[in-house]
Amino acid sequence: MAETLEGFAQRLRELRKNKNLSQTELGQLAGLHYTHIGRFERGTSRPSGDTLKRVADALGVAVSFFFEGLGD
């Protein structure tokens, strides 16, 4: 499970940066405080299913994007 969370965190950070968004901007798009985005990217917190969907929608990807190939 730790490697899945780590993989999610890495993909989230890379995608956010590729879209030239700050943590604050992504938080605003997803309706979250930027500190939540930071915690997700560091792997110190796991988003709920609803929150994960909001982040994925804000980034324009499917939720599955964050986990493809992880935990195989």
Side-chain angles (χ1 to χ4, degrees):
M1 180 60 129
E3 68 187 34
T4 302
L5 186 57
E6 184 178 304
F8 161 74
Q10 182 178 4
R11 285 185 182 207
L12 174 58
R13 176 174 282 146
E14 288 174 3
L15 182 58
R16 176 184 60 77
K17 287 184 174 188
N18 286 341
K19 294 195 176 264
N20 295 314
L21 293 171
S22 68
Q23 289 179 347
T24 300
E25 291 167 328
L26 177 55
Q28 289 171 342
L29 290 171
L32 301 168
H33 196 269
Y34 74 92
T35 57
H36 292 294
I37 304 299
R39 288 179 191 136
F40 300 153
E41 288 185 358
R42 288 189 306 277
T44 58
S45 181
R46 267 187 262 180
S48 67
D50 177 61
T51 299
L52 182 58
K53 175 79 167 105
R54 289 165 48 191
V55 170
D57 287 348
L59 290 167
V61 298
V63 170
S64 61
F65 168 84
F66 295 114
F67 301 103
E68 290 170 358
L70 299 177
D72 290 341

